[in-house]
Amino acid sequence: MKIRRLSQFQKQITFPNFDNVLDKHLSVFQQTDLGKIYEGVPWNDLAKSFGLKENTKGPDCIFSPRGKLALMFLKHYCCCSDQKLIEQFNGNIHYQIFCDTILRPGDIISNFKIVSQIRCELAEILDQHEHQKTLMAHWRPHMRDLNSITCDATCYESHIRYPTDVKILWEAVQWIYSQIQKICKLNKLRMPRTKFLKWVRRYVSYSKMRKKTRKKRKSLTRGLLRLLKKLNVEILMLEQTHTNLITTNTYKQRHETIQEILLQQSAKFYEGKRPQGAIVSIDKPYIRPIVRGKEVKPVEFGAKVHKLQIDGISFIEHLSFDAYNEGTRIKQTLYTAQSLTHTKVKILGADAIYATNANRKLLTAKGISTDFKIKGRPGRHKEHKEQISKLITKERASRLEGSFGTDKEYYHLKRIRARTEKTERLWIFFGIHTLNALIIGRRMRLISSQAA
């Protein structure tokens, strides 16, 4: 399949009047939101920041370095699966213009896994702080209020089933039993006696119960712990006696995860100890429970992101899959903001969790106004301080917290379907900055229309 870049159209004309048709497509494309995102991203600088280069050896890549980045932005703009994205790309000239890849009539991209391959490639070289500096250098001329910032944290949930002790033990039992079956089949051995089928029936009947009593749950948990321990001993014996087994890194990591789960669940069940760094998913052992204290959803499972917002544009200050207190990150937030804007921060908006004595002393020493509740006597200019505090709180509550919901509902961050920790980080990075690029593109278009 011969791929053509936009820059090659002036040199290669394949059939009459195509350039005129392309010009019409480009003029329409520039008026769309996708065209505004295209205008708001510094493609060459961002590709250089990622270290992407055009392949000079071997066959031509379907997507150029610019096109690989554009495909990630397009993924969050469309909010669809990889397969649907490629299906729409094949028949949409605007998507092809956006990704710098024009397909010839009759050609299609049939391998939808190319999206995940590019995602994995970019995830390995992601440096969010450097890339954000590159984006900010392009966006800074279109931002006005650089000396006031707001900050808050949210959780972008991963796409996993709701974890319970019984579920995670049962998944561990199933995986080890399936591996024992494969090993015995490969070496023509007899399967060890484990009473696995009996526990299948017990687990199915338990999962069908509408009201799962504490007695039933405790009984099933005890039985699954014993079964998992027995299966773990069996598979370790098989690994020792049959050295010809091909054990991949994925197999080793999964087995180590299950052994850790066995230790954690045994300590929790028999000793009543709450494990540190509790594993809630066998596929994603890096995910931890994030207690948020919400009425509807007290615990969330995913990445906790501390966001910093400058003039309506959001940046990632800190991203971690472990629970942390965002109130301790004021100093790092000020450093990140000033490194992006090259401007001293004068106003900071944050909620009550940030209003510790240490943070108050730091901000007072730097002469930064906040919307924290005043401690002690109000002193002079009480009304003036209250008015400033209300304006800062309104900005934070409307724009920053509103951006959380916009990211999750419209830019594919509600349930992150990436498979690994690195690709989840990349997923969040492009989801947040797709919205930023659209906001900047609209500002640039408004300025150009006013000038015209």
Side-chain angles (χ1 to χ4, degrees), residues 169-342:
L169 285 171
W170 178 245
E171 288 173 3
V173 165
Q174 278 187 313
W175 186 85
I176 288 193
Y177 187 78
S178 66
Q179 297 305 311
I180 291 173
Q181 281 184 319
K182 290 178 183 178
I183 293 170
C184 291
K185 185 176 180 181
L186 182 65
N187 293 278
K188 298 180 180 179
L189 301 173
R190 186 176 180 179
M191 280 288 293
R193 296 180 63 183
T194 57
K195 297 184 179 179
F196 176 75
L197 297 179
K198 167 195 166 183
W199 287 103
V200 169
R201 291 191 295 269
R202 285 197 61 180
Y203 178 77
V204 170
S205 64
Y206 172 81
S207 62
K208 289 180 179 179
M209 293 172 61
R210 295 186 65 182
K211 186 177 181 181
K212 299 174 175 62
T213 61
R214 182 175 179 274
K215 184 178 178 180
K216 290 279 187 182
R217 184 174 66 251
K218 194 173 180 180
S219 172
L220 185 61
T221 304
R222 184 187 295 110
L224 289 176
L225 279 170
R226 290 175 180 172
L227 179 60
L228 181 59
K229 188 176 180 181
K230 182 177 181 180
L231 290 174
N232 189 45
V233 171
E234 293 287 348
I235 199 169
L236 288 173
M237 290 173 61
L238 288 171
E239 287 176 357
Q240 290 174 358
T241 54
H242 297 84
T243 56
N244 62 340
L245 296 178
I246 301 173
T247 54
T248 61
N249 289 331
T250 305
Y251 172 89
K252 292 177 182 177
Q253 291 172 2
R254 184 69 59 86
H255 194 190
E256 288 174 3
T257 301
I258 289 174
Q259 288 176 323
E260 183 65 24
I261 288 170
L262 180 58
L263 293 174
Q264 288 182 356
Q265 294 296 328
S266 298
K268 185 178 179 180
F269 184 80
Y270 293 112
E271 301 173 17
K273 295 181 180 178
R274 181 173 293 181
Q276 293 292 329
I279 297 173
V280 296
S281 172
I282 296 175
D283 293 326
K284 300 179 179 181
Y286 54 88
I287 290 177
R288 300 287 178 265
I290 308 292
V291 179
R292 301 289 291 159
K294 298 177 182 178
E295 291 183 6
V296 180
K297 199 181 293 182
V299 183
E300 294 176 324
F301 303 92
K304 188 174 182 180
V305 179
H306 188 229
K307 280 178 69 173
L308 157 72
Q309 195 172 78
I310 308 167
D311 193 28
I313 305 300
S314 302
F315 297 93
I316 300 171
E317 191 278 318
H318 185 62
L319 189 157
S320 176
F321 289 92
D322 294 320
Y324 62 90
N325 181 8
E326 62 269 24
T328 61
R329 299 200 61 84
I330 282 285
K331 192 173 183 179
Q332 295 89 333
T333 302
L334 294 174
Y335 174 77
T336 304
Q338 291 175 166
S339 66
L340 289 171
T341 61
H342 306 300

Side-chain angles (χ1 to χ4, degrees), residues 47-61:
K48 191 181 294 183
S49 175
F50 270 91
L52 299 175
K53 296 180 181 179
E54 191 76 62
N55 188 18
T56 56
K57 296 181 180 179
D60 293 337
C61 294

Side-chain angles (χ1 to χ4, degrees), residues 142-156:
H142 308 284
M143 298 169 65
R144 295 179 181 177
D145 193 8
L146 297 178
N147 56 12
S148 63
I149 64 172
T150 55
C151 57
D152 202 355
T154 189
C155 182
Y156 293 107

